[in-house]
Amino acid sequence: MYYASRTLPNFFAFGFTTIALGNLLLFYGSYTSPHYANKLNRRALFTLTATGVVFRSEIVLLLGAILLWDIYRTSRFLHLRRAIIPPGLLGFLTGLLLTVPLDSYFWLRFPIWPEFSAFIYNVLKGNSANWGTSPALFYFTSALPRLLFNPMVYLICLPVALIVDYQRPDAPTPPENLTILRILRPVLTFLALYSFQPHKEWRFIIYIIPPILAVASAGAARIWSNRANSFIYRLLALCLVGSTIASFAASFAMASISSVNYPGADALELLHQLHYMQKREQKEVARVHMDILTCMTGVTRFLQIPPPPMLSKLGEQNDDRKAWGPTLWIYDKSEDPDRLLHPAFWDDFDYALAERPETVIGKWEIVGTADGYTRIEVVRPGEEGSLLLWNFEAGEGTWSQQITRLWRAVESSCRRLVTRGWWLKIKLEPKIRVLKKQRQREVIPDMAPHPGVDTDQIKEKARKDLLDLLEGARGKKNLVIERSLAGPLGVFAKFSTLQDYGVDKVFFLENNNVDASQRNVIFLARGEKAEAPIAIAEQIKRLQKNSAVEHEFSVVWVPRRTLVANKILEDEGVLGDVSIEEFSLYFVPLEHDVLSLALEDSFSDLYLQKDPTCIFLAAQALMPIQQKYGLFPRIIGKGDNARRLMELLFRMRTEALAGDSISMSKVGMLPSSSIESLIIIDREIDFATCLLTPLTYEGLIDEQFGIRDNQAEIESSIVGPAPGTQASSTTPQQQGLKRKIQLDSSDKIYSQIRDTNIAVTGRILNKVARELKSDYESRHVAVTTSDLREFVNKLPGYQADQQSLKVHTGIAGEIIKVTQSDLFARILEVQQNLAEGNDPASQHDAIEELISRNIPLATILRLLCLESCVSGGIRQKDLDYFKRLILHAYGYQHILTFDALEKMQLLHSRSSANPFLLPTAIAGNAPAGAKTNYAYLRKALRLIVEEVNEQDPNDIAYVYSGYAPLSVRLVQCVLQKQYLFSIIKTSNPANTSAAHGWQGFDDALKSVRGETFNRVQKGEEHAVKARHMLSGAGGVKTVVVMFLGGISFTEIAALRFVAKREEGKRRLLICTTDVLSGDRMMELAIEKESFGKE
């Protein structure tokens, strides 16, 4: 009954095919005159043809089967020219005249014949298989028995109708059995032919049920009429009556089941009720997304609430929908998996109807559920349960209530008298969840000056979001973390804090050793690449196989879920066993002025793999800053990837505005009053800076020991034992143990010396030591109780400073040993000669000597790549020579290393033998921005500063003792124009000191690789004027400097130097994809495997 009420073309066609087949039945039986019989035949053929043309093309197959068998039989009532062609042609033309104009009008395409288009798509092109396939005998073994329902129909009645007639040679003319055969043969032929179509549904063969039942009724009549003549017929008649009653009861129960088999419709009705019950939250527009299961289980346009103008036309009739208010409902049925995995897609919706809430991205609240049929369960004596779930609450005495009461009375009697309390019941389970978006409170744009981007707030939000995710899994839990995330998480959440939120043990995902000690297991990993999802799936399957505990698995993707991660989990068969969450961790605050995406592979991804994912993540990370503080008024940048990031920011802003995002519709429409600009630097414009050996204290710690996420692992013999450990207890075996040292601004001494040149670090440490000694000895001069109390209060600070001084004295001493070595001096000399522009060929002997001394390969490659970058390449002859030397000394696997370096454009040959005759964009011999020309820029931007005051620096060149990082010089071109004009000793063009962007340095920028851009973001004019009037022109603004591909510690030190010079005017916030060094760049390219012998 449900499908009979659906607006499916099969059921429109069903009525016409039943009438046509009824006419054929009269025609076959010859119950009328020949003239009228032929008329019935023509009418049937006309109806079947027209119905097939308009509604369903498979009806033509049924018609063909009928005609083939009639032609084969050569009936005297059938004449091809008069009885087949005229009605068939008339039906075909009639169908075309009906379907083509109407469907062309509604589809807005002319001409269009929908059924023919569907036939080509589904049959000729074979696309019907995309909707699923079934076995070849599906119609015979499954669909037909279920449609006929009563097994007596196909097991007894049909055989009786056929066999009995063949046993009666004296049958009337024409014989009844021939009529039955003429009915069954085309029907079974149609069924057999249609079984070749891979996609099968029972509605495709619904038209043959009436003729089959007609044949079965003849067999049933034969059984009933002969019940007094034979015991067998009497038994069959009894079975016939019993099966009819049982079929009726089963149909009634199935109708009850069917009533709860459409949870999608129930969920939509529930959503409408919940929305209008919350009067205070009623909106003028409500957007709803409905997933696939919702749409497949009862959702139709008849259940959707029409727009308010249509409601006003309903008149004064008693229609409940008039009370539903003026809300405009927008319903979405998107199925594209790529769109569903985009967080911006879900921002547009207020509600979602979903089978699995974990697939809905964002913060949602489950406000209701719709149950659906699951299975039939056995009810024991004493338990409640029924096969009837209808609960009619209409007026007393209605037919529905009478049927319900009668059924319940029959059930009760059967349970009491027949089954002794045993019965069956329909089991329901939640199928569809009604989700409501947890909207953030609308942010009213702050017209007053804002203090600037607060990195502490970013850190606190990340901490809170992580702890909320952990709290969502009740009880104790094991946490499995991807190794690359351990450091970033440690920046804002210590292990003791995780323990407070139920974390029992922490495992690294790569170790594949998570145990079954806790029921809850939470995986925290990045989903951008395939390795992490594969590892997670393997560990989940291992725990499920080997553990007796029924685990609850949660997968938290950082910073977003991806299509590849979901697909891998689905292919591995574990997607349905896990709940999926997102932890939107983008920027990790390393310091109050440094934000990092902590993407360890961002350099190789961007320049070796050519994977732009980190650009997208950078845009995703910068967007919340715009949403909170307002648009970046000006976006300035250099480099091709920098331009891609800028375009992404503009596109995301447009998408957010088009999506009616709350945050962008308010603050995001206005340029920020606290941010001056965003400067984007692409790492590829200046590889040389990272390849040079840093000479700042922090840079040398990273060079010597490695710094990751504000921590360095250093041997205890250098920094001493951890606090609370006796130095005398350290055994010789423990001397090689490493200790993790925290290196951030919480260490007062470190914050003083981190950005200093190593030449003055020791002097500063001596000064700090003298000050600490003086402060500590002040206890001897304390004469009053208040003086002693003050000293006692300061004592923990003294002790912490003493410990810090001891650590940094040990580290500085170890670094000075290295810097004073002959090898370090030799390498530094080669680097400085190359940076200053001396003849690179004069350095080749030194590089060859270093190779012969078998120093680490990364150091050799850094020197070669440095020459390649600053000299526009290496002469081909020399490059081939060095490649042979390295392959002989370090192994032939480094053929792959050279290939990687060439792909990253760190190592390449040059066409000119003279490095001083490189083509420049100024001369017009090369396209602007094709390659960074250091030969020209050394003078144009004064990259080499001969007189550097390392004690009291006056230029950023102090970080390399004479070389100014090109990347930071470009930032100075924007922020410190007057200073640069003074040191390069050129006349200042008119008004360029106060100009925005790159103006005044256009010629120099043409010699830097990549595109140059300077874009302004404007808001609504009236809002901008209002903010300007309220905020005025005062206040220190923030300049956000974004490094794509990574930034070195020396560049951070140089930018802090610039920020110190600009103190009082502007503040610098440094953002990056990762912190980089020359060795790290080389390690990403060096081939780790070797060509070993088998």
Side-chain angles (χ1 to χ4, degrees):
M1 290 300 294
Y2 174 79
Y3 273 101
S5 65
R6 293 292 297 272
T7 54
L8 292 172
N10 306 81
F11 296 98
F12 284 127
F14 182 64
F16 293 104
T17 57
T18 302
I19 294 172
L21 293 173
N23 289 332
L24 281 178
L25 181 62
L26 294 174
F27 169 68
Y28 291 155
S30 187
Y31 300 114
T32 60
S33 64
H35 174 74
Y36 186 65
N38 288 332
K39 186 176 180 181
L40 291 174
N41 175 61
R42 289 193 295 270
R43 187 184 299 170
L45 297 181
F46 169 83
T47 304
L48 288 174
T49 305
T51 304
V53 169
V54 175
F55 295 114
R56 292 295 301 184
S57 57
E58 66 261 17
I59 296 172
V60 177
L61 183 62
L62 176 61
L63 175 62
I66 294 170
L67 293 177
L68 284 174
W69 278 107
D70 280 343
I71 293 173
Y72 171 76
R73 185 173 177 273
T74 62
S75 171
R76 62 186 178 86
F77 297 109
L78 188 63
H79 303 284
L80 186 64
R81 286 189 302 171
R82 290 182 299 171
I84 295 179
I85 295 179
L89 183 61
L90 182 62
F92 177 76
L93 294 176
T94 303
L96 281 183
L97 290 175
L98 287 173
T99 186
V100 172
L102 286 174
D103 286 311
S104 298
Y105 172 78
F106 285 110
W107 283 96
L108 300 178
R109 287 170 52 195
F110 185 84
I112 182 173
W113 179 7
E115 276 308 301
F116 185 65
S117 300
F119 175 78
I120 293 175
Y121 180 83
N122 290 319
V123 180
L124 299 185
K125 294 184 178 180
N127 289 321
S128 65
N130 296 337
W131 302 97
T133 60
S134 300
L137 298 178
F138 169 79
Y139 287 136
F140 290 96
T141 60
S142 178
L144 197 58
R146 284 189 291 128
L147 285 171
L148 296 175
F149 198 62
N150 189 341
M152 287 288 292
V153 171
Y154 50 87
L155 294 178
I156 303 297
C157 295
L158 287 178
V160 167
L162 290 170
I163 296 172
V164 172
D165 271 335
Y166 273 112
Q167 292 176 347
R168 291 182 58 200
D170 56 338
T173 302
E176 186 179 342
N177 64 328
L178 295 180
T179 302
I180 290 173
L181 285 176
R182 292 187 69 180
I183 295 173
L184 278 183
R185 282 184 301 196
V187 164
L188 296 178
T189 303
F190 164 76
L191 205 59
L193 292 175
Y194 208 49
S195 295
F196 286 100
Q197 184 68 5
H199 178 64
K200 299 176 179 67
E201 294 184 38
W202 64 262
R203 62 188 177 96
F204 297 160
I205 61 169
I206 191 69
Y207 328 105
I208 67 173
I209 299 303
I212 291 178
L213 290 177
V215 174
S217 65
R222 185 64 53 86
I223 292 171
W224 188 256
S225 61
N226 292 314
R227 68 185 184 279
N229 300 331
S230 169
F231 172 77
I232 294 178
Y233 278 115
R234 192 177 304 115
L235 181 61
L236 291 177
L238 184 62
C239 292
L240 191 63
V241 173
S243 66
T244 304
I245 296 173
S247 298
F248 173 77
S251 298
F252 196 78
M254 293 294 290
S256 177
I257 293 175
S258 298
S259 69
V260 291
N261 209 25
Y262 302 97
D266 296 334
L268 188 58
E269 290 287 346
L270 178 61
L271 169 62
H272 293 153
Q273 295 173 12
L274 291 174
H275 177 78
Y276 288 105
M277 285 171 61
Q278 301 170 356
K279 297 294 185 181
R280 290 174 298 177
E281 298 184 13
Q282 184 169 333
K283 298 178 61 176
E284 292 186 357
V285 179
R287 294 178 172 85
V288 186
H289 172 75
M290 299 176 289
D291 71 354
I292 295 176
L293 182 63
T294 305
C295 296
M296 289 176 61
T297 54
V299 168
T300 67
R301 294 187 64 87
F302 297 109
L303 295 177
Q304 298 178 8
I305 298 178
M310 292 181 65
L311 289 175
S312 64
K313 296 178 182 179
L314 293 175
E316 300 299 326
Q317 292 86 353
N318 184 17
D319 195 326
D320 292 338
R321 289 178 294 180
K322 291 185 64 178
W324 287 353
T327 301
L328 172 62
W329 289 86
I330 299 176
Y331 302 91
D332 176 79
K333 301 180 182 179
S334 300
E335 300 179 17
D336 183 7
D338 292 332
R339 291 189 66 197
L340 296 180
L341 285 172
H342 201 295
F345 170 80
W346 296 97
D347 289 341
D348 296 340
F349 297 104
D350 304 287
Y351 300 100
L353 303 181
E355 176 188 10
R356 295 168 53 202
E358 65 270 15
T359 61
V360 181
I361 299 175
K363 293 188 177 295
W364 297 78
E365 175 189 4
I366 298 177
V367 295
T369 58
D371 295 337
Y373 168 76
T374 303
R375 60 185 178 273
I376 300 292
E377 283 190 348
V378 176
V379 181
R380 297 176 178 274
E383 296 179 352
E384 294 185 358
S386 174
L387 286 172
L388 182 66
L389 294 177
W390 297 339
N391 186 21
F392 294 108
E393 296 182 357
E396 287 291 333
T398 60
W399 67 270
S400 55
Q401 280 206 347
Q402 292 175 4
I403 293 176
T404 304
R405 288 173 181 172
L406 176 61
W407 176 264
R408 296 201 186 281
V410 171
E411 269 193 334
S412 177
S413 300
C414 288
R415 288 192 67 176
R416 187 176 66 257
L417 301 175
V418 180
T419 63
R420 302 298 181 93
W422 293 86
W423 200 244
L424 300 174
K425 74 172 182 179
I426 298 174
K427 176 68 174 177
L428 301 181
E429 286 184 358
K431 292 290 186 181
I432 307 294
R433 275 77 175 179
V434 181
L435 305 175
K436 180 182 178 183
K437 188 64 158 293
Q438 292 182 345
R439 294 285 186 186
Q440 296 179 353
R441 185 177 300 174
E442 289 197 14
V443 183
I444 306 301
D446 184 8
M447 296 295 184
H450 200 279
V453 181
D454 189 351
T455 56
D456 289 335
Q457 288 184 4
I458 297 175
K459 180 184 290 188
E460 183 58 31
K461 182 182 183 301
R463 179 179 178 276
K464 182 179 181 300
D465 289 347
L466 175 62
L467 298 181
D468 287 346
L469 286 170
L470 295 177
E471 197 173 20
R474 300 295 182 184
K476 291 284 187 179
K477 66 217 67 164
N478 286 337
L479 185 61
V480 186
I481 306 178
E482 187 178 344
R483 192 181 296 274
S484 64
L485 286 173
L489 293 181
V491 172
F492 55 83
K494 305 303 180 186
F495 180 66
S496 58
T497 306
L498 302 182
Q499 286 180 313
D500 293 339
Y501 281 78
V503 175
D504 181 37
K505 298 178 183 178
V506 177
F507 302 88
F508 284 129
L509 179 64
E510 292 80 357
N511 292 346
N512 193 26
N513 62 344
V514 59
D515 59 31
S517 57
Q518 297 298 335
R519 182 169 179 265
N520 291 318
V521 181
I522 300 177
F523 294 90
L524 198 67
R526 299 186 189 275
E528 306 293 340
K529 297 182 180 179
E531 290 82 358
I534 291 174
I536 289 173
E538 289 176 351
Q539 298 199 40
I540 289 175
K541 289 192 289 186
R542 178 174 62 81
L543 285 176
Q544 289 176 333
K545 180 180 178 181
N546 301 332
S547 174
V549 180
E550 185 177 350
H551 292 280
E552 289 190 5
F553 299 103
S554 300
V555 178
V556 180
W557 295 120
V558 182
R560 59 176 187 138
R561 74 180 71 192
T562 60
L563 178 62
V564 64
N566 273 15
K567 181 62 176 172
I568 290 172
L569 294 183
E570 183 179 0
D571 291 344
E572 294 290 337
V574 299
L575 184 61
D577 301 327
V578 301
S579 63
I580 306 292
E581 299 284 350
E582 278 187 350
F583 178 30
S584 300
L585 177 65
Y586 289 99
F587 277 137
V588 178
L590 299 180
E591 287 292 351
H592 69 280
D593 59 347
V594 179
L595 298 174
S596 173
L597 289 173
L599 300 173
E600 293 183 357
D601 297 330
S602 60
F603 183 82
S604 62
D605 287 345
L606 198 55
Y607 304 115
L608 178 59
Q609 309 297 338
K610 310 302 179 186
D611 180 0
T613 300
C614 67
I615 303 177
F616 175 78
L617 295 178
Q620 290 278 69
L622 291 170
M623 281 302 294
I625 296 178
Q626 288 200 110
Q627 292 170 354
K628 183 171 184 179
Y629 300 97
L631 301 175
F632 299 120
R634 187 179 296 271
I635 303 180
I636 309 161
K638 183 65 181 175
D640 297 336
N641 293 313
R643 184 175 186 84
R644 293 188 185 100
L645 176 56
M646 179 269 294
E647 291 172 347
L648 261 179
L649 288 172
F650 273 87
R651 194 183 82 184
M652 287 181 177
R653 177 198 172 191
T654 304
E655 289 176 352
L657 292 174
D660 195 25
S661 173
I662 291 176
S663 53
M664 288 303 294
S665 63
K666 298 293 184 182
V667 177
M669 286 295 291
L670 300 175
S672 175
S673 61
S674 58
I675 298 177
E676 179 181 319
S677 59
L678 168 65
I679 302 174
I680 308 174
I681 301 295
D682 187 352
R683 178 76 274 163
E684 70 178 359
I685 71 171
D686 180 25
F687 285 139
T689 293
C690 284
L691 295 170
L692 291 168
T693 299
L695 295 178
T696 62
Y697 178 63
E698 187 172 41
L700 282 167
I701 294 178
D702 184 44
E703 191 83 3
Q704 188 72 19
F705 306 104
I707 301 176
R708 293 304 304 177
D709 306 304
N710 294 345
Q711 287 188 335
E713 290 190 358
I714 304 174
E715 291 182 1
S716 299
S717 59
I718 297 174
V719 297
T725 304
Q726 295 295 328
S728 59
S729 64
T730 304
T731 64
Q733 291 80 8
Q734 294 174 321
Q735 290 294 323
L737 294 179
K738 291 187 176 181
R739 176 182 160 197
K740 280 190 176 181
I741 305 298
Q742 191 71 23
L743 299 172
D744 56 26
S745 57
S746 62
D747 185 339
K748 295 180 182 178
I749 296 177
Y750 181 68
S751 63
Q752 292 181 49
I753 62 175
R754 66 191 306 175
D755 298 324
T756 61
N757 190 288
I758 191 63
V760 300
T761 301
R763 196 175 309 160
I764 295 175
L765 286 174
N766 287 332
K767 180 182 176 183
V768 171
R770 289 194 301 270
E771 291 175 352
L772 284 175
K773 183 178 180 182
S774 174
D775 291 342
Y776 189 71
E777 290 179 350
S778 65
R779 72 187 188 281
H780 298 299
V781 298
V783 293
T784 65
T785 305
S786 60
D787 291 339
L788 287 173
R789 186 182 298 111
E790 182 181 357
F791 173 78
V792 171
N793 291 336
K794 292 181 179 179
L795 187 58
Y798 293 147
Q799 293 173 340
D801 289 344
Q802 286 283 1
Q803 179 65 28
S804 174
L805 179 63
K806 181 180 179 181
V807 168
H808 292 295
T809 301
I811 294 174
E814 187 69 19
I815 289 174
I816 290 173
K817 285 181 188 178
V818 174
T819 56
Q820 290 179 347
S821 67
D822 173 66
L823 180 61
F824 184 88
R826 190 70 166 145
I827 294 170
L828 190 63
E829 179 185 3
V830 173
Q831 290 181 350
Q832 290 182 340
N833 286 335
L834 292 172
E836 290 172 2
N838 296 330
D839 184 7
S842 64
Q843 309 304 315
H844 289 175
D845 290 341
I847 298 175
E848 186 175 350
E849 176 195 342
L850 293 172
I851 294 174
S852 66
R853 294 173 67 174
N854 198 31
I855 68 170
L857 177 60
T859 304
I860 300 297
L861 294 177
R862 282 176 70 172
L863 295 175
L864 293 176
C865 291
L866 178 63
E867 178 183 341
S868 176
C869 291
V870 300
S871 304
I874 303 176
R875 192 171 57 176
Q876 185 65 55
K877 177 182 176 182
D878 296 331
L879 181 59
D880 292 340
Y881 176 69
F882 280 120
K883 284 183 177 180
R884 285 196 299 272
L885 284 180
I886 290 173
L887 293 178
H888 291 158
Y890 297 95
Y892 286 94
Q893 69 271 20
H894 295 296
I895 295 174
L896 303 177
T897 301
F898 288 122
D899 179 66
L901 291 172
E902 289 168 3
K903 285 181 180 177
M904 291 190 282
Q905 300 186 25
L906 284 168
L907 188 65
H908 52 85
S909 62
R910 68 168 182 264
S911 56
S912 171
N914 191 337
F916 305 106
L917 297 178
L918 295 176
T920 64
I922 311 284
N925 298 325
K931 186 180 294 185
T932 299
N933 189 342
Y934 286 89
Y936 174 78
L937 294 170
R938 286 189 191 97
K939 181 179 179 181
L941 295 179
R942 200 181 176 190
L943 299 183
I944 304 300
V945 180
E946 296 177 357
E947 298 179 359
V948 178
N949 187 349
E950 295 167 341
Q951 180 72 30
D952 184 18
N954 55 2
D955 188 86
I956 62 172
Y958 86 92
V959 297
Y960 287 109
S961 294
Y963 170 78
L966 171 60
S967 55
V968 183
R969 263 299 188 248
L970 293 177
V971 175
Q972 289 183 298
C973 289
V974 178
L975 303 180
Q976 295 181 321
K977 296 180 185 292
Q978 188 60 45
Y979 169 72
L980 281 188
F981 286 131
S982 67
I983 65 170
I984 62 179
K985 299 177 181 178
T986 60
S987 57
N988 182 8
N991 299 324
T992 54
S993 295
H996 295 288
W998 306 108
Q999 292 182 12
F1001 297 93
D1002 302 280
D1003 291 342
L1005 285 167
K1006 291 178 182 177
S1007 293
V1008 180
R1009 177 180 180 175
E1011 294 192 49
T1012 307
F1013 57 88
N1014 179 7
R1015 291 280 298 273
V1016 176
Q1017 292 198 94
K1018 297 180 180 179
E1020 295 178 350
E1021 184 178 355
H1022 299 295
V1024 173
K1025 288 182 179 179
R1027 168 176 279 183
H1028 183 71
M1029 292 175 61
L1030 290 175
S1031 62
V1036 177
K1037 294 190 176 183
T1038 299
V1039 175
V1040 181
V1041 183
M1042 178 73 205
F1043 274 72
L1044 272 177
I1047 188 173
S1048 65
F1049 282 112
T1050 47
E1051 288 170 311
I1052 293 175
L1055 287 170
R1056 285 176 175 152
F1057 177 84
V1058 173
K1060 189 174 181 181
R1061 288 297 182 95
E1062 294 294 302
E1063 194 171 1
K1065 294 190 243 180
R1066 52 174 67 93
R1067 171 178 173 256
L1068 261 63
L1069 177 63
I1070 305 166
C1071 302
T1072 181
T1073 52
D1074 193 29
V1075 179
L1076 199 62
S1077 68
D1079 279 349
R1080 217 163 280 141
M1081 292 168 63
M1082 296 301 104
E1083 289 299 326
L1084 292 170
I1086 292 176
E1087 176 60 35
K1088 307 299 188 301
E1089 302 293 332
S1090 62
F1091 296 158
K1093 297 180 180 179
E1094 294 186 0

